[in-house]
Amino acid sequence: MKPPAFAYFAPREVEEALALLAEHGEDARPLAGGQSLIPVLNFRLARPAVLVDLNAIESLAGIGERGGSLHIGAMVRQREVERSPLAARVPLLAETLPHVAHPQIRNRGTMGGSLAHADPAAELPAVAVTLGARLHLRSTSGARDLGAREFFSGLFSTALAPGELLVGMTFPFPAPRSGTAFEEVARRHGDFALMGAAAWVQLDDQGRCTDARLTFVNPGAGAESATQSVAALLGQAPDAAAIRAASESGAAELMITGDMHASPAYRRHLARVLAERVLTRACTRARTPSGT
Ligand code: FAD
């Protein structure tokens, strides 16, 4: 399959890209790693008249520390984050990234592209919501920052307005006595998950849970509505019974759809089992001196 014809621009500065996106409005699409956009074009699921290639914009690359958080440019490849010693200080990223497709795809696929694409079966939106990442957006009319939960607005949809670019993201470094974990089930390693779960747990000095989030991957809803506050754990030292209760209620409340790969009942079963595993691991890690 070949994509429909499009005009192609490869700006070197963000401002130039924003001007092109503003000029062409809904007819234009940014091109990042192309791992989702090119198949979409080839299948003629979208026919943008203009592609604005972000690959030559150096200011969108780079991993660094900013304001006590991990800052990642939108064009940083997923594989670079996977291998980065600095990004390893956000262990949920390092634990999750090997589940995103295959190394060849992660070598091209970008962090920004995965979040902007907002596939409900993608792992990184769930990680961003679970960790409370902040996403940095720019357009010719200014800049704004959104929490990950506000950024995602449903299946393949986000708060990005026409002409707006995701330029970067920040992930908080883990606080003491916090723990995270990720796990998924896929038919083959590298396939999109049938179901996945990410957990973040914060304990106090007495080992009681003060906050927790559990986000599911691929229930059929977007990451923003697949996340839950796990109320059953709050205010107590989470033992096996509390974790089981939280996992059962988390899976029961989840909006789930089935498809040719798995029925709703099977997906709900996976959600409960995975929730229990990730909450157990996250709590154990929160209790260990080195944390997550
Ligand atoms: P592109 O494909 O270039 O762009 C995707 C969309 O985001 C486009 O609409 C584009 O206009 C928009 N966009 C890109 N960057 C920006 C930006 N900075 N600001 C605003 N809009 C932007 N993903 C998973 O999560 N899990 C998997 O298991 C998985 N398996 C895969 C298997 C295969 C065989 C393939 C081909 C892909 C798979 N993917 C998977 C998708 C992959 O992770 C993509 O890399 C990712 O979804 C998109 O990133 P990209 O940089 O390639 O973006």
Side-chain angles (χ1 to χ4, degrees), residues 29-37 54 74 78 99-101 105 108-110 112-114 116-117 122-123 160 164-166 190-192:
R29 283 281 187 97
L31 171 66
Q35 298 303 299
S36 296
L37 183 56
L54 307 179
Q78 295 152 7
H99 294 280
V100 178
I105 289 160
R108 285 301 297 169
T110 63
S114 179
H117 192 54
E123 290 84 357
L160 278 165
E164 205 167 33
L165 264 189
L166 174 61
D191 281 3
F192 280 103

XYZ file of all heavy atoms in Angstrom, residues 29-37 54 74 78 99-101 105 108-110 112-114 116-117 122-123 160 164-166 190-192, ligand 1:
288
model
N -0.225 17.247 9.516
C 0.078 16.321 10.627
C 1.570 16.351 10.893
O 2.368 16.261 9.948
C -0.269 14.886 10.250
C -1.707 14.510 10.274
C -2.181 14.230 11.712
N -3.534 13.698 11.667
C -3.815 12.398 11.714
N -2.855 11.528 11.853
N -5.049 11.988 11.654
N 1.974 16.395 12.181
C 3.402 16.204 12.479
C 3.791 14.755 12.199
O 2.999 13.838 12.439
C 3.499 16.497 13.986
C 2.181 17.063 14.396
C 1.167 16.621 13.385
N 5.004 14.557 11.710
C 5.556 13.207 11.512
C 6.707 13.031 12.490
O 7.679 13.783 12.449
C 6.060 13.051 10.073
C 6.859 11.773 9.770
C 5.982 10.528 9.892
C 7.473 11.841 8.362
N 6.598 12.049 13.371
C 7.679 11.784 14.345
C 8.417 10.530 13.882
O 9.105 10.552 12.862
C 7.087 11.669 15.738
N 8.260 9.406 14.597
C 8.946 8.172 14.181
C 8.256 7.466 13.024
O 8.816 6.553 12.413
N 7.005 7.841 12.749
C 6.256 7.263 11.630
C 5.762 5.841 11.882
O 5.168 5.231 10.998
N 5.968 5.303 13.079
C 5.619 3.893 13.332
C 4.114 3.667 13.437
O 3.634 2.546 13.280
C 6.322 3.388 14.601
C 7.826 3.431 14.504
C 8.338 2.630 13.315
O 8.128 1.432 13.223
N 8.987 3.309 12.383
N 3.371 4.716 13.697
C 1.908 4.631 13.657
C 1.357 5.428 12.486
O 0.426 4.984 11.814
C 1.302 5.153 14.972
O 1.690 4.328 16.040
N 1.932 6.617 12.241
C 1.373 7.482 11.199
C 1.516 6.881 9.807
O 0.572 6.930 8.998
C 2.042 8.866 11.256
C 1.500 9.903 10.274
C -0.005 10.100 10.439
C 2.214 11.245 10.444
N 9.295 16.199 12.087
C 9.942 16.809 13.259
C 11.366 16.301 13.476
O 12.042 16.729 14.408
C 9.119 16.496 14.525
C 7.622 16.835 14.477
C 6.952 16.433 15.792
C 7.409 18.321 14.225
N 10.014 15.537 23.100
C 8.997 14.741 22.393
C 9.613 13.792 21.371
O 9.092 12.705 21.128
C 8.002 15.671 21.699
N 11.983 5.893 21.916
C 11.634 5.051 23.071
C 12.842 4.229 23.533
O 13.067 4.047 24.729
C 10.470 4.131 22.677
C 9.195 4.927 22.368
C 8.284 4.246 21.382
O 8.501 3.098 20.988
N 7.231 4.931 20.953
N 8.185 -3.678 26.817
C 6.920 -4.263 26.344
C 6.354 -3.522 25.138
O 5.365 -3.965 24.546
C 5.865 -4.225 27.461
C 6.198 -5.100 28.630
N 5.986 -6.464 28.625
C 6.748 -4.807 29.828
C 6.378 -6.972 29.786
N 6.853 -5.992 30.529
N 6.926 -2.360 24.795
C 6.403 -1.578 23.667
C 6.983 -2.142 22.371
O 8.173 -1.974 22.078
C 6.777 -0.080 23.806
C 6.278 0.709 22.593
C 6.215 0.500 25.099
N 6.164 -2.846 21.629
C 6.561 -3.364 20.307
C 7.895 -4.120 20.372
O 8.154 -4.867 21.317
C 6.608 -2.220 19.296
N 11.232 -1.125 16.336
C 10.194 -0.078 16.352
C 10.522 0.969 17.408
O 10.372 2.168 17.179
C 8.814 -0.731 16.564
C 8.452 -1.488 15.288
C 7.739 0.299 16.896
C 7.419 -2.532 15.458
N 12.907 3.757 16.343
C 12.341 4.872 15.564
C 11.221 5.581 16.325
O 11.096 6.795 16.278
C 11.753 4.360 14.236
C 12.724 4.005 13.177
C 13.616 5.147 12.761
N 12.891 6.281 12.173
C 13.463 7.460 11.939
N 14.720 7.677 12.253
N 12.764 8.436 11.407
N 10.366 4.816 16.985
C 9.190 5.377 17.657
C 9.602 6.326 18.768
O 10.552 6.070 19.505
N 8.899 7.445 18.870
C 9.277 8.479 19.842
C 8.330 8.468 21.043
O 7.202 7.968 20.974
C 9.207 9.868 19.183
O 7.848 10.122 18.789
C 10.122 9.947 17.959
N 7.024 11.222 22.315
C 5.936 12.144 21.998
C 4.922 11.528 21.048
O 3.711 11.719 21.199
N 5.414 10.764 20.059
C 4.508 10.147 19.086
C 3.569 9.155 19.758
O 2.379 9.101 19.453
N 4.098 8.387 20.705
C 3.258 7.402 21.375
C 2.171 8.097 22.202
O 1.009 7.677 22.192
C 4.115 6.506 22.269
O 3.292 5.576 22.920
N 1.004 11.260 21.771
C 0.087 12.013 20.902
C -0.871 11.077 20.159
O -2.014 11.431 19.898
C 0.889 12.845 19.899
N -0.412 9.881 19.840
C -1.248 8.923 19.113
C -2.376 8.385 20.008
O -3.463 8.082 19.533
C -0.360 7.787 18.602
C -1.016 6.880 17.614
N -1.615 7.333 16.469
C -1.176 5.523 17.609
C -2.108 6.316 15.798
N -1.865 5.208 16.473
N -1.675 1.187 23.966
C -0.267 1.556 24.150
C 0.070 1.645 25.632
O -0.758 2.058 26.450
C 0.019 2.890 23.463
N 1.306 1.293 25.941
C 1.747 1.259 27.328
C 2.074 2.649 27.883
O 1.812 2.936 29.056
C 2.999 0.378 27.470
C 2.771 -1.112 27.271
C 2.784 -1.538 25.798
O 2.921 -0.669 24.913
O 2.638 -2.755 25.546
N -4.690 17.886 22.339
C -3.922 18.648 21.336
C -4.883 19.318 20.345
O -5.716 18.640 19.733
C -3.001 17.718 20.544
C -1.657 17.336 21.176
C -1.053 16.151 20.437
C -0.700 18.528 21.183
N -1.134 22.492 17.278
C -0.399 22.394 18.543
C 0.537 21.181 18.504
O 0.165 20.117 18.008
C -1.399 22.244 19.685
C -0.865 22.712 21.022
C -1.968 22.858 22.054
O -2.949 22.095 22.023
O -1.840 23.723 22.921
N 1.731 21.373 19.084
C 2.729 20.298 19.145
C 2.958 19.891 20.592
O 3.004 20.756 21.476
C 4.079 20.799 18.642
C 4.526 20.575 17.218
C 5.990 20.981 17.090
C 4.357 19.120 16.795
N 3.133 18.610 20.802
C 3.654 18.136 22.085
C 5.173 18.296 21.989
O 5.791 17.707 21.099
C 3.263 16.667 22.269
C 3.816 15.940 23.481
C 3.352 16.585 24.771
C 3.375 14.469 23.457
N 5.983 -8.328 22.412
C 6.066 -7.277 21.393
C 4.729 -6.970 20.749
O 4.552 -5.918 20.151
N 3.765 -7.890 20.867
C 2.421 -7.590 20.374
C 1.771 -6.570 21.300
O 2.157 -6.434 22.463
C 1.534 -8.855 20.413
C 1.809 -9.782 19.241
O 2.716 -9.472 18.442
O 1.120 -10.815 19.149
N 0.748 -5.880 20.783
C -0.047 -5.047 21.677
C -0.660 -5.948 22.759
O -1.043 -7.093 22.478
C -1.156 -4.330 20.900
C -0.664 -3.115 20.158
C -0.460 -3.147 18.796
C -0.406 -1.933 20.846
C -0.003 -2.016 18.121
C 0.046 -0.802 20.181
C 0.253 -0.834 18.815
P 4.206 8.797 14.482
O 3.755 7.499 13.924
O 5.128 9.617 13.664
O 2.947 9.714 14.865
C 1.822 9.166 15.528
C 0.748 10.255 15.673
O 1.156 11.240 16.611
C 0.478 11.031 14.369
O -0.881 11.397 14.343
C 1.351 12.268 14.513
O 0.860 13.370 13.750
C 1.263 12.533 16.000
N 2.445 13.141 16.578
C 3.696 12.593 16.617
N 4.521 13.382 17.310
C 3.809 14.451 17.720
C 4.116 15.611 18.498
N 5.339 15.812 19.000
N 3.129 16.516 18.743
C 1.886 16.313 18.241
N 1.522 15.238 17.514
C 2.484 14.312 17.252
N 3.032 0.888 20.524
C 2.814 0.502 21.792
O 2.603 1.353 22.653
N 2.820 -0.834 22.161
C 3.046 -1.820 21.248
O 3.052 -2.999 21.623
C 3.255 -1.444 19.892
N 3.447 -2.368 18.948
C 3.688 -1.963 17.655
C 3.906 -2.941 16.686
C 4.152 -2.559 15.387
C 4.379 -3.633 14.350
C 4.196 -1.174 15.029
C 4.492 -0.737 13.617
C 3.983 -0.193 15.983
C 3.703 -0.582 17.305
N 3.472 0.378 18.288
C 3.255 -0.041 19.585
C 3.418 1.831 17.984
C 4.739 2.505 18.250
O 5.027 2.544 19.637
C 4.778 3.933 17.706
O 6.122 4.276 17.752
C 4.052 5.029 18.458
O 2.710 4.734 18.623
C 4.049 6.329 17.640
O 5.265 6.969 17.761
P 5.954 7.602 16.476
O 7.067 8.439 16.963
O 6.282 6.538 15.514
O 4.797 8.603 15.936
